[in-house]
Amino acid sequence: MVKTKITINKTKASRLNDVDFENIQFGRVFSDHMFVADYANGEWQNFEILPFQNLDYNPAFNSLHYGQSVFEGMKAHLDADNNVVLFRPMDNFARLNRSCERLCMATIDPQIMLDGLSELIKIDKDWIPKTEDGALYIRPFIFATDQYIGVAPSETYKMVIFTCPVNKYYDTAVKVKVEDVYSRAASGGTGFAKAAGNYAASLLPAKIAKEEGYDQLIWTDSIEHKYIEESGTMNLMVIIDGKIITPPAGETILGGITRLSVIAIAKDLGYTVEERQISVDEVIEAQQNGTLEDMFGTGTAVTITHISGFGRKGVDYELPPVSERKISSHLKNELEAIKRNKKDSHPEWLVIVK
Ligand code: COI
């Protein structure tokens, strides 16, 4: 039951018929509508669903200068009865608020977000791809709108949720470089938050890695560059001798909702999961003695993406062929089935939009 009072203004010219759902570039195609709200005078207000369009912005918006901007990523699928299924939306909205708190921004009632998103999704339901790997990617974000050249928390904000039909983020397994010069996050910083600036700071090291022939990075701790943290687009898991090992999410590692879900599913299925620090040396040793079975990333956009190999200090290390990675493929199939409401193992994770 939607309680938030939302003004709805639908488009008169849907773009749906122009979309080739089999061939969508991730993040480049936007559905017809968006949900927006403003924060001013200490409260969120002006809840509106509008045609997807440009927003008014002022060159002095302090988000453009001082970076008060946070976002989320989540997905919706259709189930066998053609219902829209949202995967763990309240966990994403809780994380959005944790990011807001860290960046000294106004938080928002998760129920308002869920109400707005539910209405938005009902209107744009036909934008959910029916392709095998398809999903509606949902992008909630909040940014500061005070017009002020001075470093201070904004008193006004804009919140937007828009959606994109997507297929896979990565088409194949990715080759990653272990980063040992740059750092993504340090103790006491913003690494656990989904802050726009975290991603900006990752672009140059990722560009250098691409020039060296890698698809992405593995970030390591900022003190010794010894322990694995996460990748630019996903949390990381390693399988050594049948055990799934993943660094604990904390101050410097994003608390991925997919990461949490994969850990829970793995335990349900009887696999051993160790949440502990894992050094690059331990992974290299396992690769050399033949016990490194798998490395993969988890994330909303990437779901579960295999890592084909990794490089450190110019030396490359191969991983077994993806066809041999039985555990991560099992986890991926289970996760994707749960998200599409084909399994009843975690009903608490799903919100069905009626
Ligand atoms: C997500 O997984 O939703 C993210 O925000 C990461 C980005 C690579 C799209």
Side-chain angles (χ1 to χ4, degrees):
M1 188 59 183
V2 170
K3 296 210 182 71
T4 310
K5 197 173 167 309
I6 302 169
T7 308
I8 297 178
N9 170 11
K10 288 195 202 169
T11 182
K12 292 185 180 59
S14 170
R15 291 171 283 103
L16 189 59
N17 289 336
D18 302 338
V19 180
D20 172 4
F21 281 93
E22 298 288 343
N23 297 296
I24 316 168
Q25 214 188 330
F26 196 108
R28 297 272 184 198
V29 178
F30 308 107
S31 317
D32 276 334
H33 297 90
M34 58 187 186
F35 173 57
V36 298
D38 299 307
Y39 181 87
N41 304 317
E43 60 178 6
W44 285 98
Q45 50 199 283
N46 305 335
F47 304 107
E48 253 184 305
I49 290 178
L50 300 170
F52 182 85
Q53 61 190 273
N54 290 349
L55 296 167
D56 277 344
Y57 68 92
N58 184 287
F61 273 180
N62 48 2
S63 49
L64 300 175
H65 303 267
Y66 308 114
Q68 274 189 303
S69 179
V70 298
F71 68 98
E72 272 304 315
M74 43 199 284
K75 276 181 178 165
H77 295 89
L78 290 175
D79 71 8
D81 298 324
N82 212 31
N83 294 313
V84 180
V85 187
L86 299 173
F87 186 66
R88 308 190 72 166
M90 290 312 233
D91 294 294
N92 282 91
F93 296 140
R95 189 174 64 185
L96 183 71
N97 278 338
R98 289 198 294 278
S99 300
C100 285
E101 278 162 10
R102 177 62 185 84
L103 273 81
C104 210
M105 297 168 64
T107 56
I108 185 162
D109 180 351
Q111 191 60 48
I112 293 179
M113 298 294 275
L114 186 63
D115 286 351
L117 175 59
S118 302
E119 286 303 297
L120 179 68
I121 293 261
K122 277 191 238 166
I123 295 170
D124 281 343
K125 180 176 172 182
D126 291 343
W127 285 82
I128 304 179
K130 297 180 179 68
T131 52
E132 197 187 333
D133 296 298
L136 194 69
Y137 185 83
I138 300 162
R139 171 47 57 87
F141 65 109
I142 301 179
F143 60 97
T145 53
D146 271 9
Q147 297 162 27
Y148 175 51
I149 298 304
V151 182
S154 187
E155 288 175 2
T156 60
Y157 296 90
K158 185 108 195 157
M159 184 284 299
V160 183
I161 305 181
F162 67 78
T163 67
C164 309
V166 297
N167 291 313
K168 282 185 182 166
Y169 190 84
Y170 292 119
D171 286 329
T172 55
V174 292
K175 185 177 169 194
V176 289
K177 172 188 167 188
V178 176
E179 178 59 60
D180 56 7
V181 175
Y182 294 97
S183 299
R184 176 186 170 275
S187 177
T190 59
F192 69 89
K194 239 170 143 56
N198 288 349
Y199 293 78
S202 75
L203 295 175
L204 176 64
K207 177 169 173 260
I208 295 169
K210 280 207 175 102
E211 286 162 2
E212 293 170 357
Y214 300 96
D215 304 300
Q216 252 303 339
L217 296 172
I218 290 186
W219 292 106
T220 50
D221 69 279
S222 63
I223 300 168
E224 299 175 277
H225 294 296
K226 180 174 172 187
Y227 295 101
I228 286 178
E229 298 224 307
E230 60 166 270
S231 184
T233 47
M234 50 201 187
N235 291 114
L236 287 169
M237 301 202 179
V238 179
I239 305 186
I240 298 177
D241 214 6
K243 291 193 189 103
I244 303 168
I245 307 164
T246 188
E251 270 192 300
T252 56
I253 299 180
L254 186 81
I257 313 289
T258 309
R259 173 187 176 279
L260 271 185
S261 310
V262 169
I263 292 173
I265 292 168
K267 289 181 179 167
D268 292 347
L269 296 175
Y271 296 113
T272 303
V273 182
E274 294 179 2
E275 283 187 76
R276 64 162 171 88
Q277 281 195 313
I278 176 159
S279 67
V280 183
D281 285 343
E282 183 180 343
V283 179
I284 291 176
E285 195 187 314
Q287 196 269 353
Q288 289 175 337
N289 69 24
T291 54
L292 178 62
E293 295 167 17
D294 202 345
M295 256 176 112
F296 58 96
T298 63
T300 299
V302 304
T303 65
I304 288 181
T305 289
H306 292 105
I307 289 172
S308 57
F310 64 96
R312 184 173 69 164
K313 298 188 191 301
V315 182
D316 283 346
Y317 302 87
E318 289 274 309
L319 274 110
V322 169
S323 58
E324 290 174 14
R325 317 241 196 129
K326 303 284 182 245
I327 299 178
S328 53
S329 301
H330 189 191
L331 297 174
K332 182 171 182 173
N333 291 340
E334 197 70 16
L335 173 69
E336 293 307 311
I338 292 173
K339 288 204 249 175
R340 288 164 179 77
N341 201 14
K342 291 184 188 162
K343 297 262 169 165
D344 49 19
S345 46
H346 285 282
E348 75 282 10
W349 289 349
L350 307 183
V351 173
I352 315 281
V353 181
K354 297 274 181 194

